[in-house]
C-alpha cells in the first residue's frame, strides 16, 4: 500500500468516525426529545391546582419534635407547581411562618423543588422538598430539608392530601413505618 492509499484509508476512517459521532448525537437528541414529550404528557394529565390541600409536617421547635398542619394553595402550569401556605401552623406558633415554593413534576410522580419564607416574615428558614405523588389517592409524601427554627440543617417528613386530619394520620403512619429514618438534626457540628 502506498502513501496515497494510506492517506485515503485514514481519511475514510476519519469520515466514518465523525459520521458515527454525529449519528450518535442525533439519536441521543431524538431520544431526549421523546423522553421530554413523554414526561410532559404525563405531567399534563395531572392537575393539582387548588386551595383544598393540607400539609402535615414533622419538624421541631426548641429541640422538641413537633407535628403541625397548614392549608396549601397549588397552581400548576405544565410540570411547574407553585405552592403557598394559606396559614401559619396553629400547632407551631414559634416556628410557623408563611412561605411559598416552586416545585417541578418529573414523570407525573416525583415533585421536587425549593421553598422560601415570604419577605414579610423576616426569617431565614428555607430549603428543598422531595415528594412522591400517589395520584389515585391524591396524596403527596416525602421529606423536606433546610434551615428551620432549631437550626441550619433540619429535616422531616411531610404528607399533603385533600384533608387536614388525613394528612396528619398518614404522616404518623409514614413515621411509624420508617422509624429508623426519622431524624431531626438540631446542630450539625
Amino acid at each position: 500500500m502506498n502513501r496515497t492509499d494510506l492517506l485515503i484509508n485514514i481519511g475514510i476512517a476519519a469520515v466514518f468516525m465523525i459520521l458515527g459521532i454525529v449519528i450518535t448525537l442525533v439519536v441521543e437528541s431524538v431520544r431526549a426529545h421523546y423522553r421530554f414529550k413523554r414526561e410532559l404528557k404525563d405531567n399534563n394529565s395531572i392537575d393539582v391546582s387548588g386551595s383544598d390541600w393540607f400539609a402535615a409536617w414533622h419538624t421541631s421547635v426548641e429541640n422538641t419534635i413537633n407535628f403541625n398542619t397548614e392549608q396549601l394553595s397549588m397552581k400548576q402550569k405544565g410540570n411547574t407547581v407553585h405552592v403557598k401556605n394559606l396559614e401559619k401552623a396553629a400547632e407551631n406558633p414559634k416556628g410557623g411562618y408563611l412561605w411559598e415554593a416552586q416545585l417541578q413534576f418529573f414523570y407525573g410522580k416525583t415533585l421536587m423543588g425549593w421553598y422560601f419564607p415570604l419577605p414579610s416574615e423576616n426569617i431565614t428558614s428555607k430549603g428543598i422538598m422531595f415528594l412522591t405523588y400517589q395520584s389515585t389517592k391524591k396524596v403527596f409524601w416525602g421529606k423536606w430539608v433546610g434551615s428551620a427554627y432549631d437550626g441550619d440543617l433540619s429535616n422531616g417528613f411531610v404528607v399533603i392530601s385533600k384533608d387536614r386530619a388525613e394528612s396528619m394520620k398518614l404522616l404518623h403512619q409514614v413515621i411509624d413505618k420508617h422509624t429508623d429514618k426519622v431524624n431531626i438534626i438540631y446542630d450539625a457540628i
Side-chain angles (χ1 to χ4, degrees):
M1 181 179 295
N2 63 30
R3 182 177 168 95
T4 304
D5 290 339
L6 182 61
L7 289 175
I8 290 173
N9 286 340
I10 291 173
I12 291 172
V15 167
F16 278 113
M17 187 170 69
I18 291 170
L19 187 59
I21 291 170
V22 168
I23 289 171
T24 301
L25 291 174
V26 168
V27 167
E28 286 304 313
S29 176
V30 169
R31 281 184 183 161
H33 175 76
Y34 281 106
R35 273 193 303 262
F36 173 77
K37 287 286 194 186
R38 186 179 67 235
E39 181 176 323
L40 191 59
K41 180 182 175 198
D42 290 344
N43 293 329
N44 286 334
S45 66
I46 296 170
D47 186 8
V48 297
S49 297
S51 58
D52 54 346
W53 291 95
F54 295 90
W57 303 93
H58 166 239
T59 185
S60 71
V61 174
E62 296 177 343
N63 298 330
T64 301
I65 299 295
N66 182 274
F67 301 100
N68 58 69
T69 59
E70 299 169 330
Q71 184 176 4
L72 306 180
S73 171
M74 295 190 196
K75 292 181 182 170
Q76 181 179 355
K77 185 173 182 181
N79 65 348
T80 301
V81 180
H82 293 277
V83 182
K84 280 186 166 184
N85 65 341
L86 301 176
E87 61 189 356
K88 294 181 183 182
E91 306 91 341
N92 192 0
K94 289 184 179 178
Y97 59 94
L98 296 175
W99 54 269
E100 63 183 341
Q102 182 172 315
L103 307 167
Q104 186 172 350
F105 258 121
F106 292 92
Y107 299 108
K109 184 169 174 91
T110 303
L111 191 65
M112 60 182 162
W114 52 262
Y115 64 91
F116 280 95
L118 296 182
S120 60
E121 291 295 313
N122 199 26
I123 61 171
T124 60
S125 296
K126 61 192 155 296
I128 58 172
M129 285 188 265
F130 182 91
L131 305 168
T132 296
Y133 182 54
Q134 295 177 333
S135 60
T136 56
K137 296 180 180 181
K138 299 234 183 280
V139 172
F140 294 92
W141 66 277
K143 287 201 95 167
W144 63 270
V145 177
S147 59
Y149 185 89
D150 280 343
D152 291 335
L153 183 59
S154 299
N155 71 84
F157 286 103
V158 60
V159 173
I160 301 170
S161 78
K162 293 291 193 169
D163 179 81
R164 188 182 300 264
E166 181 72 7
S167 290
M168 186 62 80
K169 178 182 139 199
L170 293 171
L171 176 65
H172 285 289
Q173 286 177 0
V174 168
I175 291 170
D176 290 346
K177 188 174 180 179
H178 302 284
T179 54
D180 60 324
K181 313 254 183 331
V182 176
N183 54 350
I184 298 288
I185 301 171
Y186 306 113
D187 293 309
I189 300 174

